[in-house]
């Protein structure tokens, strides 16, 4: 009896102590939550965490859930609220916490080691943030942890070996961080593991053999690392796998014959971009639940003998870039097996060694087929008319084979077709009229074939066409005017190396968006139509090798974007017009014509490597390196000079002229002293005179509704001027001591430079406003598509089209061309000093214009760099300014090159150079260079540009080449950086190679 009495007393005592402890711990939870809130930045002004205050119990705060009995915090869920800041170490005091969700925000800093104190924690979801530093080993103390999601952050270092103690762990997502070292063998001891996702890191070494112990594993993702060696045989014990992704590594060896028998539940198999060899095992046909099979970019070889007929769920089969093929008579029989795969949407077997004919039963493939490519093989014979049965195909690619015969007219049934490259075959016959049914096609390439006849006029129905290539065929007849009414043509039109005749239609001027036009090496006659000047986007024009005659049309002086012009090997005559000096030409070929007179000296004519005028026997003058004869000197009438009356007239006029000059000079100096507010330098071309009142009216009194930008030196308004139209008006804030210097610098820099890719200034306005205050403003042409910053980093509430790879490449070329002009083609070199996305503006056609010359410097070879004030300090913007500027080095062209390189890397990765991930010496340059060495280019690119319709191999080649240019521009030592002329040339070569 006494024993029970004592026991009751102890129980009561324990209850009292526990109650007190719980009350105290309630207070601990509240304090911890408030500490957590203090470290969080809420962009919506406290909207998400507005309830986290003393007015209510913390169990009622948004995102917080407490236990019903003890009122302790058991769950925090703050997903996708746009929150940033750091994670307070006091979160470790929430000891009843079981679920913690902070995913899809922008938290940064390290994951505090105190989080290891949450011994009841079951789910930790921190993915899609910017957390840095190492994964805390203390997480191994969270013995109840079942789900650990820390992917899509900036975590570094190795995966803690201590994680093998997490015996309850089912899912661990580490993907897309910067983790190094090897995949720890200790993971093989967590036998409860179902998901291991570690893609997109820097893991090296081999795949641990003991991962084969994870019998419950359904998802193994190790893609995009630096893992080498062979697939360990133990992995074939993982019979529950739904996904096996080992792509983008350095794995090698062959797949065992029994491979397909070991994974009865496998739905996705990704082995692409490795070094696998040997034959694809026939047992692949036993992966009956397979939805996606990707074997591309390896060295698989031999006959493709897999019976795919049982893979009724297969949607994607990628076999491209291997050595598949045997030359057997039934080489293409695998297509018949695939006709049983009714869900098949994507089939890519391009860049292999397949031989034989394309069988008629290709038309029996799935009606869901969207992407079909057999390009760059050794297929021969005719393209079967049954190809027209693939009515939903959008990309049909058969280029670089040995196909003969005509293009089947049944292609007109493919009304969803968007890309249709057939180049590099031996096709003959005419282009079928049914081509006009392809209203969605945007890329047609029939080049390098034996096509004959005329270009069908029905092509004018292809109103989505942006690129058409018919070069190297036997086409004849005149160019149909309907072709030039395809207004969507914007990238490339190539009709060269055919037998086209007749005049160049005047309708050519309707191609206002076209960038490159090549009609060279045909039999065209007549004159170059003046309407060609309406092709305002044209950068390259090739008309050489025809029978054109007459002179160069004067209207071509308005083609200010033209960079390459080839008129060689024609019958053109007359004088070479001087307006060609003013165009931004980097290559001008006028050879083998009948031009006469004196050759101009400036612009492209000043550089013998930019101009060619061979075999024009009547030309004279020019720069000495062109080795033309001197032009004859005109003889004057000697009697004119020796007439006494004329001598008196000349002397008198000279004296009068000198007096006028002296008087004007005195008047000018007095006026300049009296009018101190007059602009220091006026441009060579007169600016439009605009008053303060006109600008006030144009902007509705500088209304905030017209405010489109703000910066350190003032505000930018949109306005409408009667005599000009839409303009942007930069009003200087003269309270800022640097504003006047910026105003003068910008006017000086823009006083004589004119280039398609530079912002055009309408006027520099310096006057007095209605209150008698000093007023300074710059008026520019308005860029309808805003600045590059908004396209690279759109806000969540901004709705705009995706900024694709081609557009980014074109912008990169535009900006590089502008810098090349400023550095190498101006009378005085201009150093921009502040190149960044917000200073690059895009017009309605998405042509880029470099603007904001407020920090620009002029360089004269004898005087050096202009200085507006010794107090200007280090120029440029953090992240874009060259490192040597911070050490006091003089501003230079190489500094602009560095800024351009950073800009180019930002355009490719979608990350600002000031991103929170770039700390402790790790920067955007390191980030992209690691992708090159790690063979993981797609893992660092902006996801938007990975959606390109370009063939993946071509796309990646383009990205790699552009990254290499960015890295070459951002070398630490200025002398090791590229020059902008080379940048322009290499970017244009990339564009020509990829976007034919």
């Amino acid at each position: 009896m006494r024993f029970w009495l004592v026991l009751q007393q102890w129980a009561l005592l324990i209850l009292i102590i526990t109650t007190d402890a719980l009350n105290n711990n309630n207070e601990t939870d509240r304090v911890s939550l408030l500490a957590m809130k203090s470290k969080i930045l809420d962009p919506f002004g406290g909207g998400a965490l507005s309830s986290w205050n003393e007015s209510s119990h913390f169990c009622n705060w948004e995102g917080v859930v407490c236990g019903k009995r003890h009122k302790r915090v058991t769950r925090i869920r703050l997903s996708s609220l746009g929150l940033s800041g750091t994670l307070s170490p006091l979160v470790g005091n929430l000891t009843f916490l079981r679920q913690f969700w902070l995913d899809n925000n922008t938290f940064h800093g390290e994951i505090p080691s105190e989080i290891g104190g949450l011994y009841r924690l079951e789910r930790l979801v921190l993915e899609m943030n910017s957390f840095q530093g190492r994964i805390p080993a203390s997480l191994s103390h969270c013995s109840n942890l079942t789900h650990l999601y820390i992917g899509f952050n900036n975590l570094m270092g190795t995966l803690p070996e201590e994680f093998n103690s997490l015996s309850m762990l089912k899912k661990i997502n580490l993907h897309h961080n910067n983790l190094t070292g090897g995949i720890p063998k200790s993971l093989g001891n967590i036998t409860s593991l179902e998901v291991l996702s570690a893609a997109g890191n820097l893991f090296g070494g081999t795949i641990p053999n003991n991962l084969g112990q994870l019998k419950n594993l359904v998802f193994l993702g190790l893609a995009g690392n630096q893992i080498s060696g062979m697939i360990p045989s133990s992995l074939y014990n993982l019979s529950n796998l739904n996904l096996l992704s080992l792509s983008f590594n350095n794995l090698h060896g062959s797949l065992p014959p029994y491979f397909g028998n070991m994974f009865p539940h496998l739905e996705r198999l990704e082995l692409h971009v490795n070094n696998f060899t040997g034959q694809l095992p026939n047992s692949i046909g036993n992966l009956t639940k397979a939805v996606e099979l990707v074997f591309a970019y390896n060295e698989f070889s031999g006959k493709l003998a897999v019976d795919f007929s049982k893979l009724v769920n297969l949607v994607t089969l990628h076999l491209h870039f291997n050595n598949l093929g045997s030359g057997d008579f039934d080489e293409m029989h695998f297509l018949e097996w695939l006709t049983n795969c009714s869900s098949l949407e994507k089939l890519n077997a391009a860049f292999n060694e397949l031989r034989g004919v394309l069988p008629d039963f290709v038309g029996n493939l799935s009606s869901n087929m969207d992407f079909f490519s057999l390009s760059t093989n050794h297929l021969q014979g005719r393209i079967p008319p049954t190809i027209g049965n693939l009515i939903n195909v959008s990309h049909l690619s058969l280029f670089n084979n040995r196909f003969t015969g005509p293009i089947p007219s049944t292609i007109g049934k493919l009304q969803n077709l968007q890309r249709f490259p057939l180049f590099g075959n031996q096709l003959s016959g005419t282009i079928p009229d049914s081509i006009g049914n392809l209203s969605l096609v945007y890329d047609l390439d029939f080049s390098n074939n034996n096509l004959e006849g005329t270009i069908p006029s029905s092509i004018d129905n292809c109103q989505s066409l942006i690129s058409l290539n018919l070069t190297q065929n036997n086409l004849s007849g005149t160019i149909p005017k309907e072709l030039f009414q395809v207004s969507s043509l914007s990238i490339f039109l190539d009709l060269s190396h055919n037998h086209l005749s007749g005049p160049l239609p005047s309708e050519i001027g309707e191609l206002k968006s076209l960038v490159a036009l090549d009609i060279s090496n045909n039999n065209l006659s007549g004159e170059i139509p003046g309407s060609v000047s309406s092709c305002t986007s044209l950068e390259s024009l090739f008309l050489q090798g025809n029978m054109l005659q007459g002179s160069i049309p004067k209207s071509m002086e308005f083609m200010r974007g033209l960079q390459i012009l080839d008129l060689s090997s024609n019958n053109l005559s007359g004088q070479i017009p001087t307006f060609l000096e003013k165009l931004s030409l980097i290559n001008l070929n006028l050879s083998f014509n009948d031009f006469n007179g004196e050759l101009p000296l400036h612009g492209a004519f000043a550089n013998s490597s930019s101009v060619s005028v061979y075999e024009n026997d009547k030309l004279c003058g020019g720069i000495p390196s062109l080795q033309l004869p001197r032009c004859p000197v005109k003889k004057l009438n000697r009697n004119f000079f020796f007439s006494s009356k004329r001598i008196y007239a000349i002397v008198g006029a000279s004296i009068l002229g000198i007096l006028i000059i002296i008087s004007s000079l005195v008047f000018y100096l007095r006026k300049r002293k009296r009018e101190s507010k007059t602009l220091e330098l006026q441009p060579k071309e007169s600016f439009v005179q605009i008053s303060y009142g006109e600008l006030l009216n144009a902007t509705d009194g500088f209304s905030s509704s017209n405010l489109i930008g703000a910066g350190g030196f003032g505000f930018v308004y949109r306005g409408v001027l009667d005599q000009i139209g839409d303009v942007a008006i930069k009003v200087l804030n003269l309270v800022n001591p640097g504003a006047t210097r910026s105003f003068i610098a910008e006017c000086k820099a823009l006083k004589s430079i004119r280039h398609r890719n530079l912002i055009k200034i309408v006027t520099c306005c310096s006057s007095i406003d209605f209150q008698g205050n000093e007023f300074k403003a710059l008026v520019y042409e308005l860029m309808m598509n805003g600045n590059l910053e908004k396209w690279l980093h759109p806000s969540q509430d901004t709705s705009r089209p995706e900024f694709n790879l081609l557009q980014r490449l074109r912008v990169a070329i535009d900006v590089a061309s502008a810098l090349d002009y400023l550095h190498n083609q101006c009378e005085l070199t201009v150093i921009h000093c502040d190149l960044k996305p917000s200073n690059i503006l895009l017009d309605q056609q998405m042509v880029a214009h470099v603007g904001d010359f407020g920090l620009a410097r002029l360089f004269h070879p004898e005087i050096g760099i202009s200085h507006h004030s010794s107090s200007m300090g280090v120029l440029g913007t953090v992240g874009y300014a060259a490192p040597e500027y911070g050490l006091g080095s003089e501003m230079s062209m190489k500094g602009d090159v560095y800024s351009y390189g950073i800009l180019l890397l930002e355009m490719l990765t979608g990350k600002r150079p000031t991103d929170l991930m770039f700390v402790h010496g790790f920067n955007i340059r390191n980030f992209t260079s690691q992708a090159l060495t790690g063979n993981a280019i797609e893992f660092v690119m902006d996801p938007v540009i990975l959606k390109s319709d370009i063939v993946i191999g071509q796309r990646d080649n383009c990205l790699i080449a552009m990254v290499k240019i960015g890295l070459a521009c951002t070398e630490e030592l200025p002398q090791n950086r590229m020059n902008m002329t080379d940048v322009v040339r290499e970017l244009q070569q990339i564009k020509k190679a990829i976007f034919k």
Side-chain angles (χ1 to χ4, degrees):
M1 188 69 178
R2 184 173 180 179
F3 168 77
W4 288 110
L5 183 60
V6 172
L7 186 61
Q8 288 175 354
Q9 289 174 342
W10 275 106
L12 181 60
L13 180 61
I14 291 171
L15 179 60
I16 293 171
I17 293 172
T18 303
T19 303
D20 290 342
L22 286 175
N23 289 333
N24 290 335
N25 285 332
N26 269 323
E27 178 62 17
T28 300
D29 282 6
R30 187 184 68 83
V31 170
S32 298
L33 290 173
L34 291 176
M36 183 176 164
K37 179 185 178 183
S38 70
K39 298 286 186 180
I40 295 176
L41 303 176
D42 186 348
F44 304 108
L49 301 181
S50 59
S51 62
W52 287 38
N53 56 56
E54 301 292 349
S55 64
S56 63
H57 192 274
F58 61 78
C59 291
N60 297 321
W61 294 354
E62 182 176 348
V64 177
V65 176
C66 293
K68 294 181 179 179
R69 184 168 58 86
H70 45 64
K71 299 299 182 183
R72 299 293 305 277
V73 177
T74 58
R75 184 173 68 184
I76 298 175
R77 186 157 194 165
L78 299 174
S79 305
S80 306
L81 295 176
L83 303 174
S84 61
T86 60
L87 187 54
S88 170
L90 292 184
V91 72
N93 292 337
L94 300 170
T95 53
F96 275 65
L97 195 62
R98 285 182 168 81
Q99 295 188 19
F100 191 23
W101 305 68
L102 289 182
D103 53 303
N104 197 25
N105 287 290
T106 55
F107 286 100
H108 60 276
E110 296 189 355
I111 300 173
S113 60
E114 288 82 358
I115 206 165
L118 304 178
Y119 60 90
R120 289 185 174 90
L121 193 64
E122 297 170 0
R123 287 179 182 254
L124 178 60
V125 186
L126 304 179
E127 62 185 352
M128 300 181 71
N129 280 285
S130 299
F131 285 111
Q132 302 144 344
R134 303 176 71 90
I135 300 172
S138 61
L139 275 173
S140 61
H141 300 154
C142 302
S143 57
N144 290 299
L145 198 63
T146 60
H147 294 71
L148 175 60
Y149 295 154
I150 50 178
F152 290 101
N153 279 287
N154 304 314
L155 299 170
M156 303 173 71
T158 59
L159 190 62
E161 290 281 350
E162 294 88 342
F163 274 21
N164 66 344
S165 65
L166 297 174
S167 60
M168 305 284 287
L169 196 61
K170 292 182 179 180
K171 297 182 180 181
I172 178 168
N173 287 354
L174 311 167
H175 45 264
H176 297 280
N177 279 286
N178 302 304
L179 300 174
T180 54
I183 306 292
K185 295 180 181 179
S186 57
L187 289 180
N189 298 329
I190 311 176
T191 55
S192 59
L193 208 58
E194 298 174 2
V195 172
L196 172 55
S197 178
N201 281 285
L202 302 171
F203 288 121
T206 60
I207 301 173
N209 193 57
N210 66 345
L211 289 189
Q213 300 172 184
L214 305 178
K215 303 295 185 181
N216 295 310
L217 207 62
V218 296
F219 185 112
L220 178 58
L222 302 178
N225 283 285
Q226 299 172 14
I227 301 170
S228 57
M230 300 174 65
I231 300 176
S233 58
S234 64
L235 243 57
Y236 302 124
N237 296 329
L238 304 179
S239 58
N240 288 314
L241 279 179
N242 298 141
L243 178 141
L244 175 59
S245 179
L246 304 176
S247 56
F248 290 95
N249 280 292
N250 298 311
L251 297 168
H252 66 269
S254 60
L255 303 183
Y258 52 82
F259 183 92
N261 301 329
M262 308 310 293
F263 304 112
H265 302 289
L266 198 65
E267 296 177 4
R268 293 174 59 193
L269 174 63
E270 299 174 349
L271 300 179
H272 51 295
V273 194
N274 278 287
N275 302 307
F276 291 117
T277 55
Q279 190 172 357
L280 283 178
N282 294 353
S283 61
I284 294 291
N286 295 328
L287 298 173
T288 55
K289 293 192 176 180
V291 174
E292 179 183 55
L293 297 175
V294 186
F295 303 103
Y297 295 95
N298 280 288
E299 297 174 28
F300 289 116
S301 59
K303 186 175 183 178
L304 188 56
V306 179
D307 181 353
F308 294 102
S309 60
K310 292 184 288 185
L311 308 188
V312 294
N313 300 306
L314 192 62
V315 173
T316 300
L317 177 60
H318 283 171
L319 303 166
H320 48 290
F321 283 95
N322 280 287
N323 299 310
L324 295 170
S326 63
D328 291 354
F329 73 95
D330 59 348
E331 178 91 314
M332 303 302 291
H333 188 66
F334 75 95
L335 289 178
E336 186 170 15
W337 285 319
L338 284 170
T339 60
N340 203 45
C341 304
S342 58
S343 299
L344 193 62
E345 295 178 7
K346 299 184 187 302
L347 172 59
N348 191 347
F351 294 89
N352 277 288
E353 302 295 327
L354 299 174
R355 288 172 169 79
V357 299
L358 188 58
D360 287 339
F361 53 70
V362 69
N364 297 332
L365 289 169
S366 168
S367 60
N368 295 317
M369 187 71 71
D370 170 67
F371 184 104
F372 182 75
S373 178
L374 293 172
S375 300
T376 313
N377 280 284
H378 307 288
L379 301 177
Q380 57 192 36
R382 297 190 168 212
I383 299 174
T386 56
I387 202 83
N389 295 344
L390 306 179
I391 56 174
N392 285 306
V393 72
S394 66
H395 183 123
L396 177 58
S397 180
L398 299 173
F399 64 83
N400 282 348
N401 279 286
R402 299 171 186 171
F403 288 116
T404 55
I407 300 172
S409 61
T410 53
I411 64 161
K413 297 165 61 179
L414 307 179
Q415 296 190 22
N416 291 305
L417 196 60
Q418 298 178 30
R419 297 194 71 188
F420 190 25
L422 283 179
F423 62 87
N425 282 288
Q426 300 166 22
L427 297 168
S428 58
T430 61
I431 300 174
D433 285 336
S434 61
I435 198 82
N437 294 341
L438 307 181
S439 59
L440 297 181
V441 72
Y442 65 83
D443 181 13
L444 282 177
D445 192 340
F446 298 163
S447 61
N448 293 88
N449 280 287
N450 299 313
L451 298 171
E452 54 195 28
T454 60
I455 300 172
S457 58
S458 62
I459 202 165
D460 67 342
N461 294 322
C462 301
Q463 287 296 319
S464 299
L465 198 62
I466 62 176
S467 177
L468 174 63
N469 193 348
L470 300 177
T471 186
Q472 297 284 354
N473 279 287
N474 297 314
L475 299 171
S476 58
T478 59
I479 302 174
K481 65 181 181 180
E482 289 85 358
L483 175 59
F484 296 129
Q485 291 167 356
V486 183
S487 58
S488 56
L489 278 168
S490 56
I491 295 179
F492 197 54
L493 173 58
D494 192 348
L495 308 177
S496 64
H497 295 276
N498 280 286
H499 306 296
L500 300 169
S501 58
L504 194 56
S506 60
E507 286 81 3
I508 189 174
E510 296 184 30
L511 299 179
K512 293 180 171 55
S513 301
L514 191 64
V515 171
L517 174 62
D518 191 345
I519 318 182
S520 63
N521 297 290
N522 280 285
N523 301 313
L524 299 177
S525 57
E527 297 188 351
I528 300 173
S531 58
V532 71
S533 63
S534 297
C535 301
T536 51
S537 297
L538 209 59
E539 297 176 2
S540 303
L541 177 58
F542 301 95
L543 296 176
Q544 72 270 22
N546 283 287
M547 296 182 287
L548 298 170
Q549 56 194 23
S551 59
I552 298 175
K554 188 177 186 304
S555 62
M556 288 183 70
E557 68 177 305
F558 300 108
M559 300 179 72
R560 296 304 174 97
L562 203 59
Q563 299 178 23
I564 300 175
L565 175 62
D566 195 335
L567 302 176
S568 62
S569 299
N570 279 286
N571 299 317
L572 299 170
S573 58
Q575 290 193 326
I576 295 176
T578 56
F579 68 72
L580 291 176
E581 295 177 310
K582 300 178 183 179
L583 301 185
S584 305
L585 293 169
I586 59 176
N587 193 310
L588 173 63
N589 193 347
L590 304 174
S591 298
F592 298 97
N593 279 288
D594 194 28
F595 292 114
N596 60 62
E598 186 171 3
L599 193 69
L601 293 170
H602 304 291
F605 298 97
N607 187 347
S608 59
S609 64
S610 299
V611 66
S612 177
V613 291
Y614 295 115
E615 298 298 325
N616 284 277
D617 297 337
K618 299 175 185 176
L619 284 178
C620 62
I623 59 176
S625 57
L626 293 176
Q627 299 181 341
L628 294 176
R630 290 185 179 181
C631 294
V633 179
K634 293 181 180 179
K635 295 182 179 180
L636 298 176
N637 187 343
R638 291 170 57 89
N639 293 332
F640 176 86
F641 288 101
F642 292 98
S643 166
S644 59
K645 290 183 179 180
R646 284 184 172 83
I647 290 174
Y648 294 146
I650 292 171
V651 172
S654 300
I655 294 172
L656 180 60
I658 292 170
L659 291 174
I660 291 172
I661 290 171
I662 293 173
S663 300
S664 300
L665 183 60
V666 171
F667 175 79
Y668 170 76
L669 293 174
R670 287 178 178 175
K671 181 179 180 183
R672 180 168 180 173
K673 184 176 181 180
R674 184 172 60 251
E675 298 178 2
S676 60
K677 292 182 175 61
T678 301
L679 183 64
E680 285 191 20
L681 273 175
Q682 290 290 333
K684 290 181 180 178
E685 298 178 13
S686 298
F687 281 141
V688 177
Q689 298 300 309
I690 300 174
S691 68
Y692 171 80
E694 288 176 290
L695 295 182
L696 191 71
N697 292 332
T699 59
D700 293 329
F702 299 111
S703 167
S704 59
S705 61
N706 286 322
L707 184 66
I708 58 175
F713 293 144
F715 304 91
V716 182
Y717 295 86
R718 177 174 182 159
V720 182
L721 291 168
D722 292 338
Q723 68 270 47
I724 298 172
D726 291 332
V727 292
I729 303 164
K730 182 178 179 180
V731 179
L732 278 295
N733 178 12
L734 299 181
V735 175
N736 187 319
T740 299
R741 292 196 298 272
S742 173
F743 175 71
I744 294 171
E746 195 153 10
C747 290
K748 279 185 177 181
L750 292 171
K751 72 169 189 172
S752 60
I753 55 177
R754 292 291 185 270
H755 188 274
R756 173 177 182 260
N757 299 122
L758 294 175
I759 193 72
K760 182 179 179 182
I761 190 168
V762 176
T763 191
C764 294
C765 179
S766 182
S767 62
I768 305 297
D769 68 16
F770 292 156
Q771 284 77 37
N773 300 315
E774 186 178 8
F775 175 83
K776 293 185 187 295
L778 296 137
V779 183
Y780 305 94
E781 61 181 343
L782 182 67
M783 297 288 105
M784 303 302 291
N785 272 314
N787 63 37
L788 182 60
E789 172 80 13
K790 295 178 181 178
W791 284 86
L792 292 178
H793 311 289
S795 59
Q796 293 182 351
D797 57 350
T798 301
S799 176
R800 62 169 81 246
E802 289 185 344
F803 193 29
N804 63 36
L805 177 56
L806 173 59
Q807 290 172 316
R808 296 186 197 213
L809 177 55
R810 290 176 67 174
V811 168
I813 293 173
D814 289 343
V815 177
S817 300
L819 284 181
D820 184 36
Y821 172 80
L822 294 174
H823 290 177
N824 303 310
Q825 299 172 38
C826 291
E827 292 182 21
L828 290 180
T829 295
V830 179
I831 303 170
H832 188 277
C833 296
D834 196 21
L835 193 69
K836 57 185 178 181
S838 59
N839 288 342
I840 295 165
L841 305 173
L842 302 170
D843 66 19
Q844 198 157 12
Q845 283 76 41
M846 292 297 285
V847 174
H849 303 255
V850 176
D852 199 339
F853 285 74
L855 298 180
R857 300 291 181 89
L858 304 180
F859 176 81
H860 191 283
E862 297 178 4
I863 301 173
I865 296 177
S866 65
H867 289 272
H868 311 308
S869 171
S870 60
S871 63
M872 287 290 281
V874 176
L875 297 186
T877 299
V878 173
Y880 302 92
E884 64 268 18
Y885 287 3
L887 301 175
S889 295
E890 191 79 350
M891 309 306 148
S892 70
M893 290 183 285
K894 293 297 187 180
D896 277 357
V897 174
Y898 180 91
S899 300
Y900 175 82
I902 295 295
L903 172 72
L904 183 57
L905 297 180
E906 181 177 1
M907 290 173 65
L908 295 172
T909 63
K911 292 185 180 295
R912 296 182 176 91
T914 54
D915 192 285
L916 293 174
M917 72 177 291
F918 300 131
V919 293
H920 306 306
F922 185 67
N923 55 37
I924 192 171
R925 191 176 192 278
N926 308 143
F927 179 62
T928 47
S929 63
Q930 286 180 1
L932 289 186
T933 57
N935 197 22
I937 190 69
E938 72 176 18
F939 289 97
V940 301
M941 293 295 107
D942 187 337
V944 173
I945 60 178
L946 296 179
K947 299 177 183 178
S948 169
D949 287 320
I950 312 165
V951 175
I952 292 176
Q954 290 182 315
R955 180 202 70 190
D956 289 351
N957 288 340
C958 175
L959 295 174
I960 290 170
M962 292 176 72
V963 166
K964 287 181 177 178
I965 293 173
L967 296 177
C969 290
T970 53
E971 287 281 353
E972 186 75 16
L973 295 177
Q975 62 268 30
N976 292 343
R977 297 171 195 157
M978 292 181 72
N979 64 65
M980 293 313 302
T981 302
D982 291 337
V983 171
V984 173
R985 186 186 68 252
E986 291 196 20
L987 286 173
Q988 286 176 334
Q989 288 174 350
I990 294 169
K991 181 180 172 185
K992 187 174 182 180
I994 306 299
F995 301 95
K996 295 181 179 180

